[in-house]
Amino acid sequence: MPDFTVAIFAANNFSNPQNPGFLPSEDAAYMSDLVNGDQMTWLGGGESALITITDPVDSTFNEAQSNQTLQSGVTFDGITYSAGQVVTPTYVIIFSGSDGNTYTLTSFNFSGNTNNEIPDGAFWEGSMPPAGTVLTVTNEINPAFGTSRDYNDFVTCFCTGTLIETLSGPKPIEALKLTDHIRCENGEYTKVRMIPNRHVSANELSKNPKLRPVKITAGALGCGLPIHDTWVSRQHRMYVSSPICKRMFGTDVALVAAIKLTELPGIYIDEEIEEVTYWQLVLSQHEVIFANSAPSESFLLGENAFKALTPEARQEISSIFQT
């Protein structure tokens, strides 16, 4: 029975000129009421939470299924939902960001499959945009059956052993504590908020190949970076700046998902690794940090996310990461 954890966001994280204060509505075609070319802006910093979805059937988030449920209760956007509450996707929007990157947003309801609803929230599949990014609609997907969403695409993580630059020097990500301050690309340091992790066994890797990490060999990003072989989840983004970046993505610098970097020499899906533990480094805002000395992205949750966790989850985090 797969369990998948995602960060969810309320409408107050977005500016939606078509319907201010709300996410786009679902239309009769199971898409949003936006059309290609319409724009929203990602603000960030609003209501957010971490939820774990239990799916007894498969590893896809499917609008046609009603057996995807909350593992634990959560309070989100002023409403409390109990463990066992059904969670169902409504629509998926593909955006072109003003920063030159592509982003995928999946909306959902805390209910079974219904039509013409305003979603309760949304989450980013893989990477999320920096605050202030203008998002232009380029495509939409109905998340049902053959186009249902693969939970494995939601993961954006570092793997055990990755050295993260901190105020007291580089530390393995698994050794970080909530008292550590992480070095950011802007020269400032920011405190660790959470470091959730998930171990993926050999059996699970064999059943779900998309959980295999991308290996970035030392020096593959240019300028000697990263300084050590680095493993990250497929959707984790690395900060790339080189002539190759200009040729591949049309910009001098970009945050690029690791899976897209596999076109480059020395970067590939690791088919030999037997098991892996993924770690999410959660900071107060989206930052570019340093992993094995290579610029990379952190994970973002809003100010209310920790409060929205169950008491059991908060206690678990506090007991694991002693402060």
Side-chain angles (χ1 to χ4, degrees):
M1 180 180 295
D3 294 327
F4 297 89
T5 301
V6 293
I8 59 174
F9 299 91
N12 63 358
N13 287 278
F14 300 86
S15 172
N16 178 18
Q18 289 77 16
N19 192 9
F22 297 92
L23 290 167
S25 297
E26 182 184 29
D27 65 18
Y30 307 102
M31 308 291 188
S32 81
D33 59 3
L34 302 181
V35 298
N36 286 359
D38 281 349
Q39 292 184 325
M40 299 173 62
T41 301
W42 168 249
L43 306 175
E47 179 81 13
S48 61
L50 281 176
I51 62 171
T52 297
I53 300 170
T54 296
D55 190 330
V57 176
D58 54 30
S59 63
T60 62
F61 196 36
N62 190 335
E63 187 174 18
Q65 294 178 354
S66 60
N67 48 18
Q68 303 143 145
T69 60
L70 288 178
Q71 184 185 77
S72 303
V74 65
T75 298
F76 178 69
D77 209 15
I79 301 176
T80 298
Y81 302 94
S82 301
Q85 172 68 50
V86 173
V87 187
T88 309
T90 49
Y91 55 72
V92 179
I93 306 177
I94 312 299
F95 292 106
S96 174
S98 56
D99 61 348
N101 291 304
T102 298
Y103 299 98
T104 302
L105 184 74
T106 294
S107 65
F108 67 90
N109 283 106
F110 288 110
S111 64
N113 183 16
T114 54
N115 296 337
N116 304 103
E117 284 192 338
I118 295 177
D120 293 318
F123 58 84
W124 297 105
E125 293 187 19
S127 300
M128 68 183 69
T133 301
V134 177
L135 303 164
T136 302
V137 178
T138 60
N139 193 19
E140 294 196 49
I141 299 170
N142 173 20
F145 301 109
T147 53
S148 57
R149 314 313 295 162
D150 192 326
Y151 295 113
N152 300 318
D153 288 336
F154 306 164
V155 181
T156 58
C157 304
F158 298 105
C159 296
T160 298
T162 305
L163 295 177
I164 304 298
E165 291 286 342
T166 75
L167 186 61
S168 56
K171 290 185 177 182
I173 191 165
E174 66 271 21
L176 292 176
K177 297 184 182 299
L178 299 184
T179 51
D180 282 314
H181 289 74
I182 305 302
R183 178 191 168 204
C184 303
E185 187 266 343
N186 61 8
E188 298 181 355
Y189 290 83
T190 187
K191 192 175 180 180
V192 174
R193 292 286 303 281
M194 289 187 283
I195 324 172
N197 69 84
R198 179 189 175 200
H199 181 75
V200 182
S201 67
N203 182 55
E204 193 171 359
L205 284 177
S206 67
K207 292 181 178 179
N208 297 295
K210 284 191 175 182
L211 285 176
R212 289 194 169 278
V214 171
K215 181 178 180 179
I216 305 172
T217 57
L221 295 176
C223 300
L225 299 175
I227 59 172
H228 304 295
D229 290 350
T230 301
W231 287 263
V232 296
S233 61
R234 296 183 180 211
Q235 299 302 322
H236 195 95
R237 294 189 301 177
M238 305 299 292
Y239 190 81
V240 180
S241 175
S242 70
I244 296 176
C245 179
K246 179 71 173 180
R247 174 174 59 81
M248 293 178 64
F249 307 107
T251 181
D252 291 328
V253 295
L255 280 166
V256 182
I259 191 65
K260 293 185 179 180
L261 294 174
T262 55
E263 299 178 32
L264 301 177
I267 304 178
Y268 54 89
I269 297 169
D270 193 335
E271 302 287 355
E272 298 182 357
I273 196 166
E274 295 183 355
E275 57 185 4
V276 63
T277 299
Y278 286 115
W279 301 78
Q280 286 183 328
L281 180 53
V282 182
L283 307 178
S284 296
Q285 62 184 19
H286 189 269
E287 299 281 5
V288 174
I289 61 174
F290 296 89
N292 287 340
S293 295
S296 180
E297 69 175 345
S298 69
F299 189 74
L300 168 70
L301 284 175
E303 288 299 318
N304 295 317
F306 191 79
K307 297 177 184 177
L309 294 174
T310 64
E312 293 80 9
R314 291 197 296 268
Q315 182 177 358
E316 178 180 281
I317 290 169
S318 297
S319 64
I320 293 173
F321 304 106
Q322 299 295 328
T323 59

